[in-house]
Amino acid sequence: MIGNIFLTFAFLAAMFSFVMYFLTLKGYENTIKYARFAFHAAAISVIAASAFLLYAILTHQYQYEYVYNYSGSDLPTGLLISTFYAGQEGSFMLWTFFTVIIGLILLDYSSKRGDLEPRVMVTFTLALGFLLFMVSPLLKSPFNYLWNEGAFIEMKSLNPAYLNLPFLQKFLMTDQNTGQFFIQMNKEFHTALVSNGIAVNNFIIQGKGLNPLLQNFWMQIHPPVLFIGFAMALVPFSFAVSALIKNDYKSWVSQSLPWLLVESMVLGLAIMLGGYWAYGVLGWGGYWGWDPVENSSLVPWLISVAAIHTMLVQKRTDEKEEGSRFVKTNLILSIFAYILVLYSTFLTRSGILGDASVHSFVDPGMLVYWFLIFFLVFFAVIGIGGIIYRWKFLVKNFSEGVNVLSRETALFTGSAALIASAVIVLVGTSAPIFGTIVQTRFYDQTNMPIAIIIGILNGLSLLLKWKQNDGKDLLADLRPVLLITLVLTILTSFLGKMNNIGLSIFVFSAYFTIVINLQMAYKIASGRKLFLGGYITHAGFAIFLLGVIATAGYSKTTQVDLPRNKEVKVLGYDLKFAGITPLENGKKFAFDVEMINGSSKKVVSPVMFRSDFNNSLMREPDISAGFLKDLYVAPLGYSDGSESDSSNGSQVTLEKGKSIEQNNAKITFTEFDITDKARDAMMAGTDFEMGAKLKIEYAGKVNDYEAVMKSVNGSREMVPVEIKGANLRITLQSMDAGGKVVLNVQDLSKTNEAPKQTEEILSVEVSIKPFISLVWIGVLLTTFGVAVSSVRRFKETA
């Protein structure tokens, strides 16, 4: 109750602050002090509500539906804290919390700059009001009580001391399909508990717990950083609207640019933290899978980075009084960056991507679904409508024309390339709305030439002067750079045995950027150190691209069975399954694999365990990391040797659109079949049914099949696919958020062979990821470079 009071008061205070800022813009006197007071009151209330939710989680207040659904008494403190944002209600709450923190800083910043405060804060407080309405008791409050919706509580979650209460039988429910017993926690039952002097949080002693996929260190880091980025995207949007309100476009870019730099730094870092989590823990086999949920965060980041470069042009032309350039472009990009954050939220939290990504949230209900649409459309109308309203003035007073051979053109063209990439990713990400799914090769093939253009322009823009250039001077500056770049490219192509001209050009563009940025950084290293930020950023991004090429083009992957204590030659290593180590009192098992390469020996220990949360077999890879390459070992399955291999079949991992062939049959995994109801049930740890759709080509015919996985009363049941002509039985073993499925493919012609005792066998997928370290080094350098640039730009506005 107290949490909802805080949130309701915060919503009313935020809307009052909005009205007071609006009246200030209309010329009313003394309203700004009321606006500030109301905003501070809203901020304090949000902080208090957040603290209360954290307290409820840490003290296991299971009377709150959100706390019961996502936390558990057996979680370590760090993961217990992370359940704050494990569900939709909490993640919206976290977004709101960071919005008020950033709002307090923005209020202080804008109040020192003339009439900027009311123009910026009127939009900011309105957006805050929308977020607060989202977490209000009417929509997705994390403080709603269990008994409001009549939740069903499993018997294992209840305090055994109260199971003999006489009134309990009246509320005891049985699942006819599974035989499981539940207590229906409705208002009548709550009244019975209260009348008997029993507190709900004493009656319920265990929550449903945190999904095992989220029980990792990076769960404590990645989502908060992402929501800081989302919250900060509102600031450039507010600055753009403030410029439209005043119809003055001279100062807003200088004021907005440092905020935009921080937003792009934080959002980009969050995206790659998610990539590292996926690579190192979740077992996706890579850091990026073009999953719709990943893409939805990437698009606003691309637009933000594009806006940075065109803002630099306007800032420079404003300072030199050469006529503001790209004013319309900067307004549009700043507005669309936030609109695309809202669109990302709609895609990932409306349930609309349920069939396309097992990474997305479950269906939040129709009321929230339509409110998300209204939120998106409302702010799109504010931003785009404002530009349309001022369009004639903008066209009349600001020209976009620049000299072709100039730094302005190079920066604008680079921004255009980033926008093109964003449009491509946006189209592919939105495809599931229209009933189709885009394969990953679509993104790879369309973005590769764009990345090459960006790499060339990245370096070229630094050699070009502002306004205009002499072609001869430019060629003279380019000769040594091109020579060094060409030598590095040829050397890399020779050592890497590149036979793809596209990859070679990609590498050339990356080296070109690195060489020029190092050259420029060397020239100013002894002087203006804060000016190094841009060069570090661009060089870091180019190093990142080299890592992308190395891992995407030259990774090697194979699946292999490792008999106990026998060496098997795999990708140049001798691998030996050495034994099993119990972890966490036998809840998990590490499978120790020795890697022998000459005189060097290392041990990697991938983990498998059966999760009580949803009765799923969970797999965690292990990595032997190095600068030159990573050896990546992901577990697929384990046989203790009690049955014959022929009857067990073989385990294979398939990505969407990938195929294998066995017994002259071609088996292709096409898509998941996961309904919203099944997703809800799986996340809740209750009964569910889902499947993987397969296209099987055999004897000249192509047919569609579906391998189904069921969870009934805590037991896993598989419904296999049988291809009688090919003597094959295909069983779905597991699926993951990276868009992969693990299938057991069994040759039925061998099932009648006499069973025989076999060896213990660990089935693994082994990959070599060359120079993936460059990806992480590039990300760190890029982040550091943007941080340095942000400091410089904030100092310029002080």
Side-chain angles (χ1 to χ4, degrees):
M1 185 67 178
I2 189 171
N4 281 331
I5 291 173
F6 280 135
L7 291 178
T8 302
F9 179 78
F11 170 73
L12 294 174
M15 296 314 297
F16 181 77
S17 179
F18 161 72
V19 172
M20 291 298 102
Y21 276 124
F22 182 79
L23 293 176
T24 303
L25 289 175
K26 289 295 183 179
Y28 285 79
E29 296 182 1
N30 299 321
T31 51
I32 194 167
K33 64 181 181 181
Y34 297 116
R36 291 170 180 168
F37 179 80
F39 185 84
H40 281 90
I44 291 169
S45 296
V46 170
I47 294 168
S50 301
F52 184 75
L53 177 58
L54 188 59
Y55 166 79
I57 290 170
L58 291 173
T59 56
H60 312 300
Q61 303 292 314
Y62 294 128
Q63 68 268 33
Y64 296 106
E65 185 177 16
Y66 184 80
V67 177
Y68 172 74
N69 282 336
Y70 294 100
S71 71
S73 303
D74 55 351
L75 288 172
T77 302
L79 288 178
L80 189 61
I81 292 172
S82 73
T83 64
F84 184 105
Y85 42 83
Q88 298 224 30
E89 297 91 335
S91 59
F92 280 122
M93 188 74 205
L94 187 69
W95 188 357
T96 306
F97 171 79
F98 285 131
T99 298
V100 299
I101 297 300
I102 291 165
L104 291 171
I105 300 170
L106 180 63
L107 193 157
D108 179 69
Y109 177 88
S110 59
S111 65
K112 300 172 182 176
R113 289 165 173 81
D115 65 343
L116 179 63
E117 181 190 343
R119 290 187 288 114
V120 169
M121 294 303 295
V122 70
T123 305
F124 196 93
T125 51
L126 183 60
L128 175 60
F130 269 77
L131 287 171
L132 282 165
F133 190 77
M134 181 68 74
V135 294
S136 72
L138 296 175
L139 290 181
K140 300 294 286 185
S141 170
F143 299 109
N144 291 334
Y145 290 123
L146 273 172
W147 51 88
N148 288 344
E149 299 295 331
F152 291 93
I153 311 298
E154 293 183 70
M155 300 298 288
K156 65 181 182 181
S157 298
L158 305 180
N159 189 334
Y162 297 118
L163 295 183
N164 292 323
L165 290 172
F167 66 86
L168 205 64
Q169 297 300 319
K170 180 181 176 181
F171 302 95
L172 194 62
M173 314 290 287
T174 306
D175 188 323
Q176 298 298 324
N177 295 321
T178 66
Q180 273 189 299
F181 289 96
F182 299 88
I183 290 293
Q184 186 176 19
M185 178 63 74
N186 54 24
K187 292 180 180 179
E188 184 182 357
F189 182 74
H190 174 248
T191 301
L193 284 178
V194 173
S195 63
N196 282 272
I198 302 172
V200 174
N201 61 327
N202 290 329
F203 181 73
I204 303 174
I205 58 173
Q206 179 60 281
K208 289 183 178 179
L210 184 63
N211 190 311
L213 286 174
L214 304 179
Q215 293 187 27
N216 181 263
F217 169 79
W218 293 108
M219 174 64 179
Q220 304 166 64
I221 307 296
H222 166 61
V225 177
L226 180 67
F227 280 107
I228 292 173
F230 278 10
M232 289 210 65
L234 176 57
V235 179
F237 179 93
S238 300
F239 274 111
V241 174
S242 77
L244 291 167
I245 290 172
K246 192 176 182 180
N247 206 23
D248 181 356
Y249 307 96
K250 291 292 185 182
S251 60
W252 82 277
V253 164
S254 296
Q255 295 163 343
S256 180
L257 180 58
W259 294 87
L260 182 62
L261 282 164
V262 175
E263 178 250 315
S264 63
M265 175 191 72
V266 173
L267 188 55
L269 178 62
I271 291 169
M272 288 314 299
L273 284 174
Y276 186 80
W277 184 6
Y279 172 70
V281 180
L282 297 180
W284 292 16
Y287 51 87
W288 196 257
W290 293 112
D291 182 88
V293 173
E294 297 173 321
N295 295 349
S296 64
S297 300
L298 177 66
V299 174
W301 179 80
L302 289 169
I303 296 297
S304 296
V305 175
I308 289 171
H309 292 85
T310 52
M311 276 192 180
L312 288 171
V313 176
Q314 183 183 341
K315 184 175 185 299
R316 196 263 178 190
T317 53
D318 283 343
E319 290 171 348
K320 298 294 181 180
E321 297 184 353
E322 297 170 352
S324 299
R325 294 289 186 266
F326 306 134
V327 173
K328 297 186 290 292
T329 302
N330 291 326
L331 290 169
I332 291 169
L333 292 179
S334 296
I335 285 167
F336 267 92
Y338 187 62
I339 291 173
L340 288 167
V341 164
L342 298 180
Y343 183 65
S344 164
T345 304
F346 168 72
L347 286 181
T348 56
R349 291 162 199 282
S350 65
I352 203 166
L353 294 180
D355 294 332
S357 169
V358 295
H359 197 174
S360 64
F361 280 77
V362 297
D363 187 347
M366 288 306 296
L367 190 60
V368 175
Y369 178 90
W370 285 109
F371 183 77
L372 285 171
I373 292 177
F374 179 66
F375 194 176
L376 170 63
V377 172
F378 187 87
F379 278 85
V381 169
I382 288 176
I384 299 171
I387 292 174
I388 293 172
Y389 180 73
R390 298 294 191 189
W391 189 254
K392 287 185 179 179
F393 179 87
L394 292 168
V395 171
K396 181 180 178 180
N397 290 275
F398 301 106
S399 169
E400 305 291 283
V402 291
N403 190 293
V404 174
L405 196 61
S406 66
R407 182 174 293 185
E408 293 95 323
T409 299
L411 289 172
F412 178 78
T413 308
S415 294
L418 287 166
I419 294 167
S421 177
V423 171
I424 289 168
V425 177
L426 182 64
V427 169
T429 304
S430 303
I433 299 176
F434 306 101
T436 185
I437 296 176
V438 172
Q439 301 298 328
T440 57
R441 61 179 176 272
F442 164 79
Y443 299 107
D444 294 335
Q445 292 169 358
T446 53
N447 278 289
M448 184 172 173
I450 293 175
I452 292 172
I453 292 171
I454 290 172
I456 297 296
L457 290 172
N458 191 328
L460 191 61
S461 64
L462 297 178
L463 291 181
L464 290 168
K465 297 180 177 66
W466 296 104
K467 293 187 69 173
Q468 60 185 8
N469 289 263
D470 183 274
K472 292 181 180 179
D473 292 341
L474 179 62
L475 285 175
D477 292 337
L478 274 173
R479 285 192 190 101
V481 174
L482 289 173
L483 180 61
I484 296 171
T485 302
L486 192 60
V487 169
L488 290 172
T489 304
I490 292 172
L491 188 62
T492 301
S493 299
F494 175 75
L495 294 176
K497 300 178 181 178
M498 284 187 184
N499 52 15
N500 184 310
I501 186 65
L503 291 182
S504 297
I505 296 173
F506 194 114
V507 170
F508 177 88
S509 70
Y511 277 134
F512 182 72
T513 296
I514 292 171
V515 171
I516 289 182
N517 278 278
L518 289 179
Q519 180 189 55
M520 301 300 291
Y522 176 77
K523 289 180 179 180
I524 65 167
S526 59
R528 300 173 293 179
K529 289 184 169 53
L530 287 179
F531 284 70
L532 289 171
Y535 305 126
I536 295 171
T537 300
H538 292 147
F541 186 70
I543 290 170
F544 167 81
L545 292 179
L546 287 177
V548 170
I549 280 294
T551 55
Y554 294 93
S555 292
K556 296 178 181 178
T557 301
T558 187
Q559 296 179 6
V560 63
D561 292 335
L562 301 177
R564 180 79 173 256
N565 294 322
K566 289 188 178 180
E567 292 184 4
V568 179
K569 197 76 171 179
V570 183
L571 301 178
Y573 288 83
D574 291 317
L575 299 187
K576 183 172 71 173
F577 170 32
I580 303 173
T581 303
L583 304 174
E584 299 180 12
N585 297 319
K587 292 182 179 180
K588 298 182 178 182
F589 297 92
F591 294 81
D592 300 324
V593 178
E594 294 181 357
M595 303 173 358
I596 304 167
N597 185 12
S599 59
S600 172
K601 184 171 80 170
K602 297 181 180 179
V603 177
V604 291
S605 301
V607 172
M608 288 191 287
F609 63 98
R610 178 70 63 180
S611 169
D612 293 333
F613 181 86
N614 53 15
N615 197 38
S616 296
L617 180 64
M618 309 304 298
R619 301 172 174 87
E620 298 175 0
D622 197 14
I623 304 166
S624 175
F627 175 75
L628 297 179
K629 60 186 173 184
D630 283 4
L631 186 73
Y632 187 98
V633 181
L636 298 177
Y638 166 73
S639 171
D640 62 5
S642 60
E643 298 180 4
S644 67
D645 290 337
S646 59
S647 63
N648 284 340
S650 58
Q651 299 218 35
V652 295
T653 302
L654 286 179
E655 299 176 359
K656 287 183 184 178
K658 299 295 184 180
S659 305
I660 59 162
E661 291 193 20
Q662 187 161 332
N663 291 12
N664 298 317
K666 184 179 181 181
I667 306 164
T668 305
F669 167 46
T670 57
E671 60 180 320
F672 296 112
D673 181 15
I674 308 175
T675 65
D676 293 336
K677 183 178 179 181
R679 185 183 302 276
D680 287 342
M682 182 180 69
M683 295 297 292
T686 56
D687 297 348
F688 63 86
E689 179 178 321
M690 56 185 62
K693 293 184 178 181
L694 307 173
K695 190 179 292 293
I696 298 177
E697 183 177 350
Y698 178 72
K701 296 181 179 180
V702 180
N703 293 297
D704 293 324
Y705 295 87
E706 182 172 352
V708 174
M709 173 192 299
K710 296 181 179 180
S711 179
V712 181
N713 196 18
S715 299
R716 186 59 55 86
E717 177 184 340
M718 310 299 182
V719 182
V721 169
E722 290 196 6
I723 316 299
K724 293 185 177 179
N727 286 319
L728 289 178
R729 177 182 291 137
I730 304 167
T731 307
L732 176 62
Q733 297 294 304
S734 67
M735 54 182 74
D736 68 34
K740 296 179 182 179
V741 292
V742 178
L743 303 174
N744 182 278
V745 182
Q746 186 178 1
D747 188 343
L748 297 177
S749 64
K750 298 180 180 181
T751 57
N752 293 324
E753 295 179 0
K756 56 186 178 181
Q757 187 67 25
T758 61
E759 303 168 290
E760 287 183 68
I761 291 179
L762 175 66
S763 298
V764 295
E765 183 176 86
V766 182
S767 303
I768 289 181
K769 312 283 187 180
F771 289 104
I772 195 170
S773 59
L774 295 181
V775 170
W776 317 125
I777 292 170
V779 169
L780 292 175
L781 285 174
T782 301
T783 303
F784 176 72
V786 178
V788 172
S789 296
S790 302
V791 172
R792 172 192 167 189
R793 298 301 178 180
F794 270 115
K795 283 190 172 185
E796 289 175 353
T797 64

